[in-house]
Amino acid sequence: MMNRRFFLRGAAVLGCSVAAHPMLTTLTLAAGEKTLGENRLVVIILRGAMDGLGTVIPVDDPLYAQYRPGLSDLGEAPGALTGGFALNPALSGLMPLWQAGQLGFVHATSTPYRDKRSHFDGQDILEAGTGTDVAVSAVRDGWLNRMLQAVPGLSAETAYAVGRDALPLLEGPAPARNWAPDLRLRITPATERLLEVVYHDDPLFRDASEEAMTLSDELDDDLMAAAPLGAKRLSNNEKLADFAAERLRGESRIAAFSQTGWDTHANQAVGLAGALKGLQQTILRLREGLGEEIWGKTTLITMTEFGRTVRENGTKGTDHGTGGLSILAGGAIRGGQIYGPWPGLNESALYAGRDLMPTTDIRSWAAWAMAGMYGFDRTLLETSIFPGLDMGSDPRLLL
């Protein structure tokens, strides 16, 4: 049966001006001011398996330089953090957030996914929020959507998706809205009236078309206000951040989007720095757009499907690994810390003799954030939102 996504793609063929490109990213938002309170949650999926060791670097461990002789010299001094770690200089713009207690990290964390090292399988499990005891094919929704399903009386917009990147973590029966930069629905008034007549008695297509046209009108107005004639062309990261901030200042309470470019098999020093700078740009732009008050109520979490190998490979890159890194930001977090037990880099401590050993389940950090922000019961989080999860002890992520 044709769904709303297929309808919108069809509508694009009929009358849209689509300036899409291969890196086009979908941004998804969910409303619910009355039932989710004032706190904001932002989830950024970093597709491609970010190298956590190259991002928050164990600079005091001499083994790091031995494992990575071609990658340990970054050209600039990394920013000192705590516990013998330092921040990749490509994220130096975030140091003020660290110093203000609005930036933190979770090291050596992972989903339950092990050994096969497939991006697709890893991302499926990450966004499904399940363990390996549940077949991904049996999962009908994502963990963030299941959280929304648990909110009584949620008054979100009807779900639809536009763009190339799906966000399975927000897919499911709970309503959510999707938007992608550089996508415009341009139809004449006559065509709009024709659609109203054609789909008048079909609630599925009628609602989808009405929402598409409404959001398109809103976005056009937003862009006109935000980008006057002659202003610099905004990057994709800035567009995502600006749109998310604009919505989160209003009724939306949750935003989720993804960024690519983290699969650094070769020449990692350049590739990782570029991806980190893009992420930094997104975080800083989002903070600026939200303003101090809303940023103070915001928790931002990055998640990636798995980590990378401890040793660099023959092309000055790293390959698919296990233990990864999650970045926390926002005025609501208890930052200035690196969370999670550090397993060390001794070969005997590595996973399968090659990867950073995961010491925590990445789902537990999201679960504790959701418990702190929205008061969800632990049993609900461990059985319905993240089936099979053991959250462990409270890390007190939030202020």
Side-chain angles (χ1 to χ4, degrees):
M1 181 176 70
M2 183 176 287
N3 60 24
R4 297 171 192 274
R5 183 180 307 181
F6 290 137
F7 163 77
L8 291 171
R9 288 176 177 169
V13 174
L14 285 173
C16 299
S17 171
V18 182
H21 62 82
M23 304 297 284
L24 187 65
T25 302
T26 299
L27 184 146
T28 304
L29 297 135
E33 180 180 11
K34 294 181 180 178
T35 50
L36 287 179
E38 292 299 317
N39 291 321
R40 275 74 166 175
L41 174 63
V42 179
V43 180
I44 304 178
I45 303 296
L46 305 180
R47 301 191 187 281
M50 179 183 69
D51 178 33
L53 282 174
T55 303
V56 173
I57 308 164
V59 288
D60 284 356
D61 191 332
L63 288 174
Y64 180 77
Q66 292 181 30
Y67 287 131
R68 299 184 171 195
L71 296 177
S72 53
D73 183 5
L74 300 173
E76 302 176 51
L81 297 174
T82 185
F85 292 92
L87 189 61
N88 189 303
L91 291 179
S92 61
L94 298 184
M95 285 304 292
L97 296 183
W98 170 265
Q99 292 156 359
Q102 298 179 354
L103 180 71
F105 306 94
V106 181
H107 230 320
T109 191
S110 175
T111 71
Y113 182 63
R114 298 289 185 275
D115 300 330
K116 294 184 180 179
R117 307 175 194 276
S118 160
H119 291 299
F120 304 107
D121 292 345
Q123 289 173 20
D124 284 348
I125 290 175
L126 174 67
E127 298 191 63
T130 59
T132 54
D133 57 328
V134 178
V136 172
S137 59
V139 179
R140 296 288 180 262
D141 47 18
W143 61 266
L144 199 48
N145 192 279
R146 291 197 293 275
M147 187 204 83
L148 296 175
Q149 294 171 42
V151 181
L154 180 66
S155 57
E157 301 293 337
T158 304
Y160 61 89
V162 179
R164 297 189 178 204
D165 283 355
L167 280 166
L169 82 165
L170 252 172
E171 291 183 354
R177 279 184 140 191
N178 284 14
W179 173 84
D182 298 325
L183 182 61
R184 299 289 174 269
L185 181 64
R186 300 193 186 285
I187 58 177
T188 65
T191 303
E192 183 175 342
R193 287 194 295 275
L194 176 61
L195 287 174
E196 291 173 354
V197 172
V198 170
Y199 295 128
H200 180 272
D201 296 326
D202 188 321
L204 174 66
F205 292 100
R206 182 189 62 218
D207 294 349
S209 64
E210 288 177 354
E211 289 195 26
M213 288 183 283
T214 297
L215 187 57
S216 180
D217 290 341
E218 293 175 2
L219 292 176
D220 282 345
D221 292 341
D222 293 342
L223 289 176
M224 289 178 66
L229 189 64
K232 75 179 182 70
R233 183 179 179 83
L234 296 179
S235 70
N236 199 54
N237 294 329
E238 289 173 315
K239 291 175 183 176
L240 285 171
D242 284 357
F243 182 78
E246 189 273 336
R247 295 292 158 170
L248 291 170
R249 289 197 307 269
E251 294 185 358
S252 295
R253 293 294 176 267
I254 294 172
F257 51 97
S258 64
Q259 293 188 340
T260 57
W262 304 95
D263 196 11
T264 51
H265 289 283
N267 198 17
Q268 175 169 300
V270 175
L272 181 61
L276 290 173
K277 287 179 180 177
L279 177 62
Q280 172 181 282
Q281 182 185 43
T282 299
I283 293 173
L284 294 178
R285 187 85 177 188
L286 182 65
R287 181 184 183 280
E288 179 184 1
L290 290 175
E292 185 174 351
E293 180 180 355
I294 302 300
W295 177 254
K297 301 170 184 174
T298 297
T299 298
L300 180 151
I301 303 176
T302 74
M303 308 176 87
T304 192
E305 62 263 33
F306 42 69
R308 307 196 71 82
T309 51
V310 171
R311 296 176 180 84
E312 70 177 65
N313 60 26
T315 55
K316 294 187 178 181
T318 56
D319 299 316
H320 300 172
T322 307
L325 180 84
S326 177
I327 299 174
L328 311 172
I333 71 162
R334 195 181 301 277
Q337 302 182 56
I338 298 175
Y339 290 93
W342 174 245
L345 296 179
N346 289 324
E347 186 160 358
S348 60
L350 302 183
Y351 179 81
R354 51 171 279 174
D355 305 336
L356 186 65
M357 180 68 74
T359 58
T360 62
D361 190 322
I362 196 170
R363 298 174 298 168
S364 67
W365 303 99
W368 280 116
M370 292 154 65
M373 296 177 69
Y374 304 124
F376 286 114
D377 178 77
R378 178 172 181 153
T379 300
L380 174 73
L381 289 161
E382 292 182 333
T383 59
S384 297
I385 297 176
F386 295 108
L389 172 67
D390 179 355
M391 293 170 62
S393 58
D394 186 354
R396 301 181 67 243
L397 283 178
L398 306 183
L399 294 172

